[in-house]
Structure formats: structure tokens, C-alpha cells
Amino acid sequence: MDFHLSEEHRLIQETVRTFASTEILPIAAELDQQARFPKEIIQRASELGLLGMMVPPEYGGAGLDTISYLIAIEEIARACAGTAVILSVNNSLVCDPILRYGTEAQKRRYLPDLAQGRKLGCYCLTEPEAGSDAASIQTVAREEGDEWVLTGTKIFVTNGVEAEICIVYARSEPEPGARGISAFIVEKDRPGITVGKVERKLGIKASSTAEIHLEECRIPKENLLGRRGEGFRVALSTLDGGRLGIAAQAVGIARACLEESIAYARERRQFGQPIASFQAIRWWIADMATRIEAARLLMYRAASLRDRGRPYTKEASIAKLFASETAMWAAHKAVQIHGGYGYIQDYPAERHFRDAKITEIYEGTSEIQRLVIARHVLGVRS
Amino acid sequence: MATILVIAPAYEGHVGRTSLELLGGARRIGEARGMEVVAALLGKGAGAAASQMWQYGVKRVYVADHPSILLGELEAFYLASLEACRAANPGVVLLLADSVGREVGPRLAHRLGGGIVTECIDVQAGQDGEVTFLRPVYGGKAIATYRLVNFPVVVTVKPHTMEVPAEMPVSGETIPLELSMDPEGLKTRVLEVVSEEVTGVKLEDAPVVVGGGRGIGGPEGFQLLGELARLLKGAVGASRPPADAGWVPPTWQIGQTGKTIRPDLYIAVGISGATQHIAGVSGAKVVVAINKDPEAPIFKVAHLGVVADYRKVIPPLIQKIKEIVGT
Amino acid sequence: MEIVVCLKQIVDPEIPASEFRLDPVTKRQIRGSHALVISTYDENALEVALQLKEKQGGKVTAVTIGEEQATEALRKALAMGADSAVLISDPPLLEADDLGKARVLARAIRKLTTPDLILCGCESADWVSRIVGPFLAEELGLPCVTFGTRIEPRDGKIVVRRIVEDGYHLVEAALPAVVTIASDETNTPRLPKVRDIMAAVKKPITLLRMADLGIEPGSLKEMEGRIVLQDVAIPVREARCEFIEGDTPEEQAERLVLRLKELKVI
């Protein structure tokens, strides 16, 4: 067992850290306050190869392993959690299923654009009546000649506004529940697909979250991703990888909380001494550091299983659960350490607090993660 | 008997005041070791400056007056320096650690056997004849002390770190250096000298300096700093990020890599306070830091601190100075 | 154009002063858990080299003296666009002074290639001595220009923009030459693309030992015959900052002016 990052891991960390601290961090507060999509940052990120990190070079990607990917997402999230999720979605939820389930033609057609930032992707699973219970989606795909015709409404779609390539899950088979679902690749410029309401959110405001409406949207047959009726499997296995991306985002947010808290606690003086000399503050900081370290190791462990082609569903859920709860806890403490200054927008603790919460919700709530973990640990199917 | 040799450019008979600072250090070593301080003035028309050296007690002044030794022609300067060393038999050679000395000093030292201390900020000479040189290392986070063991050595001295010594007029002599320099044989030549226009007072000489850092955010913000500086009859400088980003000319840079300043008042605006920068302002009498980040390390070295956005506090500051101090 | 860039791997110079520690025996910084990076201006030098290559064609070789872990600095250089990388590593080299290092670099450069141009950073961000570049020029018997920020090839020579106190000089130098590089807005080091990092990991790094260069350990510390590093100490700063408080910027401004007047500096 080797707990050292390799040379390439360290170089990727150094590169992305420099990118994040010099180009993202200075505008992170502005992106948050204006809820602005960081077009220029995504452009730069694509030049550096951060849009299709795990896509092999033959499809225009960088060919990184999962640990490298998580290192990169953590560094981006340290600066701006909203930017991190834009990248995480494109990498984990869009490139990854095309890479694993797509035909050769689909890979050649979509991956170079996605990996090189010419087109952004989004993942359309959740519906108003189907959140944690994703198998109950109602969007329908009807077969008509050489085409599939999709109708339904997807909500909470990250990158929904900017994305041009959508992975859409819809009910194509008569079987109820999970077995009736297929996955499709839908280009946003097809007639019948439109962006609906754009949500106003608590945090991660640099990324858009939107409704996607499909109204008799016709796509060619070859846009089916994976086999008919296997869409739910595509969705769940994709989410395993996605959860690692969110774990990395959470670790990045938690690290931001820790670093801001350390700096503040050292400088802020009360009762004639820096508040870092008070035991209550020290314990919180020690606990933050401990939990972050643990969360990072959990996600690296899951990533290492993934890179070896081993099952990692349980480990991904454990990492995501622990990392997201660490982020929320650390954000809570960071605001408390900052006192009144933690509550105002002049300091970043307030932004981290708002950003942290989503990590406990999306790509499977903490409750769903516990469900997944418990099933594995207890050895039961449901 | 080995000498202490001060080498200075003297184009058209002009010796910079900072070169005179070298005489202070030279005299200290000379007195401790019982060695004579001599000088070499290099440059076209250098001879006219010899009397300035006599004024400070330097009797023997070597002069290399050669048409090739012009501003920026450092290869010619270097060859003339070598000739001066041959003639003066120096134990210690002192040069300024400026754009001339930083290039010529090490090359000269290499020819003389490799002994050199660069970027020296202080020379100490004990009663027992022990001579030590101090210089900042690790970007100003530490100070290194070097002990002189054997002659000859070259020492380059950071400008504005030593005092010009008291005058001590003597009647001296000039010794012309015979140079066998072939201008055609020089491998470098200056095509163009571009000096930035300095409006008002020079950064190094200004009693008040307003410095801007990364927090200024762009070239526009420096106009506001310029307004404040003009009002205080001072100059504007910068830390490294604005210079690297091209917001200000590189000549404005203050710090280990840039200029060393010793103003009465230094106002650091939007400067985080990297030791690299601090190394250049440690001679300031009063340091004021204006930064919206209360955690910025600059507050550790500042005497007065204002935690505020400079855009909000500089305009009223200009106003109040006009009201309270007058213009 | 054949270009050699000399790099040095150092402990991250951006760490706060409060985390800086010295080893009293070696008189060197204790690395602790801090990252190792390429010394600041060496990266600018590499950037200048890469831009020249892009304009002129040619080949860029990165050379460093260091421990085995210095391969990481070379990997970064390769990822940024260097064509080949050379690590000169041997335990006695850790003790080498600037003269020793210049000799080792000169031998290595002569052995490996016949460069048109050799670039170094204008100073290392740790010892800031600014010596190795000019020493290297002397060792190789080449012309030297220090503190250049831009290099233009012109008629088989180069024109270097050398920054000076009050502006800059355009200095023409015959090739081959040694130029030390300072930073400006045209030579901000590029970030390597992650894909190129992956490719760099697979590229070979040439390893040279002292024996390969015919260097005797005794020749690495000759400067000590003249000058000895006696002590390195962390200076104590005592200034305690007096914060000027106020409910509005106007109030802060007024109090500051009054305080400065009291101190007789305005």
C-alpha cells in the first residue's frame, strides 16, 4: 500500500492548483454574487484538458486516471465549487457513459467536442416526480421509423443552460420501473428540446441548473446510448463515478473552509490574543483537518478500485457521504470561527457554507448513500 | 600589498551617488585590515570624476577612459575591470549590485578565482581584522553572513544599503589604464537604450513612496496611487505581480529582485507582503499598509495598518491630506 | 535553434515567513511538508526558450542538478514543451557551491549538445545569488547578458531586452551565448496541459553522474577557499502594527493623516 501521489499526480495537482488560484479564485466571489457562468474559465480549462480528463487521447481527452481527475476537481472546488461541478458533470456524467456504453461512432462523434470544450454536456435524469426514486421517471421515448421521439420534463439539470449535448433517460419499454428505461444522446439544437425555468439556488451559483423540456423531440435511432432497457444500469453506474467527482468537490470546499479558518484564527485577535490560541477553535480546526484527510483517503481508495476495474459502488457512496458531510460540517465551523465576519459576503466562509449544502443532496442524497452502503454491508438487494 | 578596489562607472565623468556608498564599506574593510582603498573609474570620459574620489580620501584612482566603455556596454566594462584588477592587485573588489555589477561582478570573480558575495547589504569589520558580509537569502526570510577567508574576492553591494562616508579630501593621482580592447572583438553591443520617462521624483530617491500590489487589480488603479504620490511629492512603485502582469513598467518593482528603497514613508496598497517585496522596503522609516485582507502578512511589518478597500479609502485620504496638510 | 535551459528545484518560495525553518547544521532551509517547485525565474527562462522554439524551430533541453526527486521539475519542463531533460545527480553535488555547479553544468552542456543559446533564471528564489549564469558563461567562454526578458533572433544573432534601473537596453549578442532571464508580461510561464503531463511521464530523462562528466568531488567547493558561509539566521521583526480603525473610510483616512502628521512623515 502506497499513500504517496505519483509524479504525474503531483504535477497535475500543481498545475490545477496554479490555474485555480490565479485564474478562478480571484473571480470566485464575483461568479457567486452575479450567478454568472464562467465561460472564460471553462475555455481555459478546456485548453488545459480538464473537460475530458479521463477520456483517452484517441478521442481527444487527456487519458488521466480517476485519482488525477479527483485531484483536479478538488483543486478547482477549493477555489470555486460552482466551477467544479460544471467540470465534474461534463467529465463524470457525460463523457464517462459515452465512453463506457457508447458505440465507436458515438465516441468519435461526441467525445472530441466534449473533451475539448467545444460543446458542454449535461445529464438529464431527475424529474419533478422522480428524484431519489429515479426508476419512476415518466419521460417517454417512442419508436417511430428510424427515430426515437422523446417527451417529458427533466429538472435540476446542471449545465442545463449552456450544455449542447444531453444524456437523457426515458421510458422506452413497456416494463415498469427500472427495466423500462433507456439512455439517449440528445443534441440541444434538435427541434423539440428547450430550456425551461432556470433555478435560483442557495449556492454553486456559477453553474446553471435548469429545467429541460422535451416535446416530441425526434432523434435518430443511433442516438440510443447502450442497449434498450438498460438505461437504468447506465444511470446508476454513471452515478458511481459522478459521486466521486462530488466527493472531490466536497473535499475542495472543506479544504477551503479549513484554510480560511486557519488564516483567520491566526490573525484575528480577541481578548488580547489570536483566537487560534483558544482551545475551542483549535479543536474545530483539528477536527476539520482530520475529517478532510479521511474523506480524501476514502475517495482515493474508491478511485483506485475504479482504476483497477474493480467494483467500487459501495466505496464511492462511502466517500461521497463522508466527504459531503465533512464539507457541510467544516463550513458550519468555518462560519462560526469567523463569527460575524463569517456571516457577511466580505469573507468567503459564507459562500463555502452555501456551496457545501448541495454536496449532501445531488447525485444521491446522504440518505440514498446510506441506503446503498447498507445494502452492500447487509448483503441485501433492496 | 593588496588593496580594496572600488570599481564604478563614470561615463562622461559622472559618478552616481550610489557608487559613493561603496566607499563606506571599502573604508571599513580597509581600516580593519590596514589596506589602502583605491578606485577604478571606467567609462568614456571617466577621468573627470577622479577628483570626486580624492574628496573621499581615495588617493589612487585608476581610470579607463575608452570610447567603447559606454552606458550598457558591459563586456567592455568587464574587460576594463579585469585590467583594473591587474593594475591594482585588489584583495577585495567592490561593485554595486546594480545592472552593471550583477553582470560584471560574477564574471570578474570567476577570473579572480571564484570568491564572491553578491547582493550584500552590510559589511562588518572587527578589530581583529575579521570581515563579514551580510546578505538576504530565501527571498528575505533569512540573512546570511559570509566570512572573508582569503583574497581576492568580489563583493557586490545592493544600492541604497550603505551610507556615503564622510568627506576626507586628499590630493590624489590618476593612473590611466592601458586597454588593449578591440571594439570589433566584442561579442555584445548595445543597440538601443530606452529610459522610461520619470515624471517627478525618482523611486530610489523619493522621501515618500506609494507601492501597489496585486490587490490594485489593474493598471487603472495605479493612476489613483499616482495622484496620492504626487500630492505627497513622492513616487509610485509596485510589488512583483503588477510588474509581471505588465500593469506597470518593470522598473517600478520594489523588492529583492527590484529596487531597494529607504523612504521616510512607505504606503503599501493592496500588497500582500511577500518577503521578496519586504526585502526592498525594510529601510523605510514608517510603513503604512492599506489592504482589505486583515490577514495579509504586510500587516506584520507595517507600523500603521488600514483594513479597507483601497478604492474606498484612497480618495478620502487624498482629500484629507489636502485639508489637513495642504497641497 | 538549440537551446539549453538550466533549472533548479527548490522548496516553494511562496510559503509564509512564519513557516520558514532553518537547519542550524546545514544552514539550509528545512523542507518540512512544503512542495518542491521549479525556481521562479527558471520557469520564465523555460518560457522564453519555448517561445523561441515555436518561432524558430529547434530543440529545448532542460538541465538540472539535484536529487532524484528533481525529475519532477524536469517532468514539468517536458510537459510544458521541452524536448529532452537531463538530471545531473550525485550526492557530493548537493554540497557544490556556485562555481562547482557552473563547472558541472558547463561539462554536461558540452557533453550533450552544441547549443546556440543557454538560458538560466536571473536568480534562484532561494539563495538569490545571481552567480551561476555569469559563471557558466565564463566556464564556457561565451558572451553573457543578464536580466533579459525578451529575446529576438536577428541575423544569426540575438537581441536581448535587458531590464535596467530606469528602463531597458536592447543588447545584441553573438551566438552561442548565455542569457539570464527576468520576468515580464511576455514570459509568464505557461501551464502544462494535463495531457502533456501524461505524455511527459513516459519520456526518458537522461541521468548523468559526476563520473560521466569527469568531475572530481574536490573541485566542487573551491569558493570556500575565499569566502565561507558562517551563519544564516531568521531576522526578528518587531514592528507591531497599529490598526487605524474607523466606522467609515473617511474616518479611517482622517485618523491616518493625523497620525502620519504626528510622526512627521507628511
Side-chain angles (χ1 to χ4, degrees):
Chain A
M1 200 175 265
D2 182 3
F3 287 97
H4 291 278
L5 295 180
S6 70
E7 215 165 54
E8 74 206 59
H9 292 146
R10 283 198 303 272
L11 276 175
I12 285 164
Q13 185 170 53
E14 183 192 327
T15 300
V16 183
R17 187 171 291 177
T18 306
F19 169 56
S21 63
T22 57
E23 300 183 41
I24 305 177
L25 191 59
I27 60 163
E30 174 210 318
L31 293 175
D32 173 63
Q33 277 156 28
Q34 300 175 0
R36 177 169 79 76
F37 179 81
K39 196 161 183 273
E40 70 280 26
I41 298 294
I42 300 305
Q43 170 60 32
R44 275 288 284 148
S46 67
E47 287 164 19
L48 293 175
L50 303 179
L51 271 290
M53 286 185 250
M54 293 180 291
V55 173
E58 61 263 38
Y59 302 116
L64 303 189
D65 63 7
T66 312
I67 292 183
S68 302
Y69 165 61
L70 299 183
I71 286 170
I73 295 290
E74 177 188 329
E75 293 303 328
I76 303 278
R78 161 65 187 90
C80 174
T83 304
V85 77
I86 297 170
L87 298 179
S88 169
V89 164
N90 199 71
N91 278 282
S92 283
L93 301 189
V94 184
C95 289
D96 184 61
I98 295 177
L99 187 62
R100 283 182 309 112
Y101 294 97
T103 61
E104 188 58 30
Q106 287 172 334
K107 290 187 215 179
R108 299 233 165 263
R109 174 146 185 214
Y110 299 108
L111 287 177
D113 282 349
L114 286 165
Q116 290 168 10
R118 287 187 291 274
K119 287 180 180 168
L120 199 65
C122 68
Y123 180 85
C124 307
L125 176 64
T126 300
E127 297 180 3
E129 303 301 328
S132 291
D133 180 12
S136 66
I137 57 167
Q138 292 166 13
T139 296
V140 176
R142 188 176 82 239
E143 209 176 351
E144 242 185 62
D146 289 341
E147 291 177 325
W148 288 99
V149 185
L150 277 63
T151 297
T153 295
K154 297 289 179 180
I155 60 165
F156 301 159
V157 178
T158 301
N159 295 349
V161 174
E162 301 81 13
E164 294 178 69
I165 296 171
C166 316
I167 307 288
V168 178
Y169 296 90
R171 195 159 286 291
S172 62
E173 313 303 315
E175 287 88 347
R179 279 171 299 156
I181 297 171
S182 298
F184 301 90
I185 304 171
V186 184
E187 295 96 332
K188 191 85 103 23
D189 55 6
R190 294 200 178 269
I193 179 166
T194 51
V195 178
K197 181 181 169 216
V198 180
E199 306 295 347
R200 293 166 59 191
K201 305 191 291 289
L202 179 66
I204 54 161
K205 293 191 182 188
S207 70
S208 68
T209 303
E211 274 182 12
I212 298 287
H213 294 292
L214 296 140
E215 183 64 50
E216 293 287 300
C217 177
R218 292 176 176 275
I219 56 171
K221 271 251 168 96
E222 65 260 26
N223 280 25
L224 174 73
L225 179 64
R227 282 201 290 251
R228 285 179 70 150
E230 285 198 351
F232 200 64
R233 202 161 68 90
V234 176
L236 289 192
S237 67
T238 297
L239 283 175
D240 286 344
R243 282 166 188 165
L244 290 181
I246 301 309
Q249 182 199 25
V251 171
I253 296 169
R255 206 180 93 211
C257 293
L258 173 64
E259 289 172 8
E260 305 288 355
S261 296
I262 292 170
Y264 187 79
R266 276 186 181 151
E267 295 300 324
R268 171 70 172 173
R269 297 177 73 85
Q270 288 290 276
F271 306 103
Q273 50 193 316
I275 62 169
S277 61
F278 300 128
Q279 201 175 45
I281 306 285
R282 288 187 173 186
W283 286 14
W284 286 342
I285 285 179
D287 284 351
M288 270 194 223
T290 305
R291 293 186 192 199
I292 290 168
E293 194 76 29
R296 191 182 289 124
L297 289 175
L298 286 173
M299 75 179 187
Y300 285 172
R301 151 109 173 112
S304 131
L305 287 170
R306 186 179 192 274
D307 287 335
R308 285 174 163 76
R310 309 274 304 145
Y312 69 103
T313 302
K314 179 186 72 177
E315 287 76 10
S317 280
I318 290 177
K320 198 263 185 184
L321 172 66
F322 191 79
S324 58
E325 294 194 344
T326 293
M328 196 63 237
W329 185 85
H332 184 250
K333 290 305 173 209
V335 168
Q336 199 64 21
I337 288 168
H338 282 70
Y341 293 106
Y343 199 69
I344 61 173
Q345 296 195 346
D346 292 6
Y347 285 79
E350 178 262 359
R351 168 165 57 92
H352 303 323
F353 188 85
R354 289 183 287 105
D355 286 346
K357 185 63 208 174
I358 190 62
T359 64
E360 294 182 321
I361 298 172
Y362 60 14
E363 302 200 27
T365 60
S366 291
E367 293 66 39
I368 289 294
Q369 307 308 330
R370 287 187 166 88
L371 190 82
V372 172
I373 297 162
R375 276 181 192 161
H376 277 85
V377 173
L378 291 168
V380 295
R381 283 186 63 97
S382 61
Chain B
M1 183 68 196
T3 59
I4 313 290
L5 171 64
V6 169
I7 301 181
Y11 312 115
E12 305 300 339
H14 173 77
V15 174
R17 193 170 165 77
T18 42
S19 291
L20 299 177
E21 295 169 5
L22 295 173
L23 295 172
R27 203 183 277 179
R28 239 179 279 163
I29 307 169
E31 282 165 6
R33 288 281 177 120
M35 291 161 76
E36 184 192 354
V37 175
V38 300
L41 300 178
L42 318 180
K44 182 167 160 280
S51 60
Q52 275 196 70
M53 294 290 125
W54 301 334
Q55 199 65 23
Y56 289 94
V58 180
K59 280 192 199 128
R60 283 200 285 160
V61 180
Y62 296 89
V63 173
D65 181 345
H66 190 283
S68 290
I69 311 173
L70 300 169
L71 179 66
E73 296 288 3
L74 299 187
E75 198 178 347
F77 193 97
Y78 161 59
L79 294 171
S81 299
L82 272 177
E83 199 50 50
C85 290
R86 265 181 219 120
N89 180 32
V92 180
V93 181
L94 292 165
L95 287 135
L96 276 182
D98 60 2
S99 59
V100 176
R102 71 192 177 200
E103 185 162 315
V104 173
R107 298 186 71 184
L108 196 56
H110 190 274
R111 284 291 183 96
L112 299 178
I116 184 166
V117 180
T118 52
E119 303 293 310
C120 178
I121 56 163
D122 200 7
V123 176
Q124 291 170 354
Q127 294 293 331
D128 53 358
E130 183 172 284
V131 176
T132 52
F133 305 100
L134 271 60
R135 70 180 198 87
V137 291
Y138 292 109
K141 292 189 184 78
I143 300 287
T145 307
Y146 292 85
R147 186 163 47 86
L148 172 63
V149 181
N150 220 333
F151 295 148
V153 295
V154 174
V155 178
T156 69
V157 177
K158 192 110 176 136
H160 303 281
T161 57
M162 292 182 191
E163 303 286 340
V164 176
E167 295 194 12
M168 227 170 60
V170 289
S171 62
E173 54 172 330
T174 58
I175 306 161
L177 292 169
E178 293 300 324
L179 297 181
S180 55
M181 199 187 320
D182 170 17
E184 297 301 309
L186 298 178
K187 288 184 172 159
T188 60
R189 105 191 135 99
V190 175
L191 303 180
E192 200 179 335
V193 170
V194 180
S195 301
E196 264 137 26
E197 247 176 76
V198 182
T199 48
V201 54
K202 270 172 73 179
L203 185 55
E204 300 93 310
D205 305 332
V208 177
V209 173
V210 181
R214 194 196 299 275
I216 298 301
E220 313 77 29
F222 277 89
Q223 290 174 9
L224 189 60
L225 302 195
E227 197 183 329
L228 177 63
R230 274 193 299 281
L231 184 63
L232 297 170
K233 303 191 171 47
V236 182
S239 60
R240 216 181 94 198
D244 277 0
W247 301 346
V248 301
T251 49
W252 288 24
Q253 189 174 326
I254 302 167
Q256 177 111 43
T257 314
K259 290 182 168 129
T260 302
I261 55 167
R262 307 174 91 177
D264 295 329
L265 172 61
Y266 178 56
I267 305 178
V269 187
I271 287 178
S272 67
T275 49
Q276 210 283 132
H277 176 71
I278 302 303
V281 301
S282 51
K285 287 202 187 80
V286 175
V287 176
V288 177
I290 299 176
N291 201 304
K292 64 178 177 182
D293 177 8
E295 301 150 25
I298 188 75
F299 290 119
K300 289 220 173 89
V301 293
H303 302 93
L304 300 176
V306 181
V307 179
D309 183 345
Y310 84 93
R311 293 176 189 85
K312 293 196 181 120
V313 83
I314 300 267
L317 186 61
I318 290 171
Q319 192 56 38
K320 296 291 172 192
I321 292 170
K322 285 179 183 161
E323 283 170 28
I324 299 171
V325 188
T327 47
Chain C
M1 197 183 265
E2 283 274 328
I3 307 172
V4 170
V5 182
C6 303
L7 305 172
K8 181 179 180 186
Q9 187 184 47
I10 61 167
V11 179
D12 185 356
E14 304 283 328
I15 62 163
S18 59
E19 290 173 26
F20 180 79
R21 303 278 181 279
L22 281 168
D23 181 327
V25 178
T26 64
K27 305 185 184 91
R28 297 287 192 274
Q29 181 180 4
I30 297 172
R31 180 188 165 190
S33 58
H34 299 298
L36 296 171
V37 298
I38 298 178
S39 181
T40 322
Y41 296 104
D42 298 351
E43 281 199 1
N44 297 96
L46 179 59
E47 178 62 35
V48 169
L50 295 172
Q51 287 180 16
L52 276 170
K53 183 180 100 168
E54 281 158 5
K55 214 181 296 174
Q56 289 277 109
K59 194 166 162 286
V60 174
T61 304
V63 181
T64 194
I65 301 174
E67 295 176 77
E68 302 282 324
Q69 64 213 22
T71 51
E72 193 172 324
L74 295 172
R75 294 272 179 229
K76 184 173 185 189
L78 289 168
M80 285 170 73
D83 300 278
S84 59
V86 181
L87 171 64
I88 311 166
S89 191
D90 231 338
L93 290 173
L94 297 176
E95 299 285 309
D97 60 27
D98 289 335
L99 183 58
K101 285 178 193 160
R103 278 187 185 150
V104 169
L105 287 172
R107 291 274 180 97
I109 289 167
R110 279 214 192 95
K111 184 183 167 79
L112 293 163
T113 170
T114 44
D116 302 299
L117 186 59
I118 296 152
L119 303 182
C120 304
C122 62
E123 64 189 33
S124 68
D126 54 358
W127 280 78
V128 212
S129 63
R130 307 176 172 177
I131 294 173
V132 174
F135 269 18
L136 182 57
E138 289 293 313
E139 288 286 333
L140 293 168
L142 297 179
C144 176
V145 182
T146 53
F147 282 70
T149 56
R150 307 175 194 187
I151 297 178
E152 293 288 335
R154 197 181 290 173
D155 307 329
K157 296 180 176 178
I158 49 169
V159 177
V160 182
R161 182 173 171 131
R162 172 176 67 200
I163 53 165
V164 299
E165 287 75 11
D166 62 348
Y168 61 90
H169 299 163
L170 293 181
V171 183
E172 182 189 76
L175 296 176
V178 176
V179 181
T180 78
I181 299 294
S183 58
D184 80 356
E185 73 271 23
T186 65
N187 63 26
T188 306
R190 66 193 63 192
L191 286 174
K193 298 176 171 55
V194 287
R195 185 175 173 164
D196 296 337
I197 293 174
M198 299 305 290
V201 170
K202 295 184 187 85
K203 285 191 196 170
I205 288 176
T206 307
L207 176 67
L208 292 178
R209 303 286 185 192
M210 280 164 60
D212 300 323
L213 301 174
I215 300 266
E216 296 299 322
S219 66
L220 294 173
K221 292 170 80 173
E222 284 180 9
M223 286 170 79
E224 284 196 346
R226 302 284 170 83
I227 288 278
V228 166
L229 177 62
Q230 181 170 295
D231 185 37
V232 182
I234 300 173
V236 186
R237 299 192 192 280
E238 45 208 80
R240 271 295 306 277
C241 187
E242 170 190 334
F243 282 94
I244 309 287
E245 309 282 348
D247 291 334
T248 61
E250 287 73 22
E251 215 172 284
Q252 283 177 305
E254 178 163 5
R255 287 185 187 159
L256 177 62
V257 175
L258 293 172
R259 194 72 185 85
L260 290 173
K261 214 164 161 254
E262 242 171 64
L263 292 167
K264 300 190 167 44
V265 287
I266 59 171

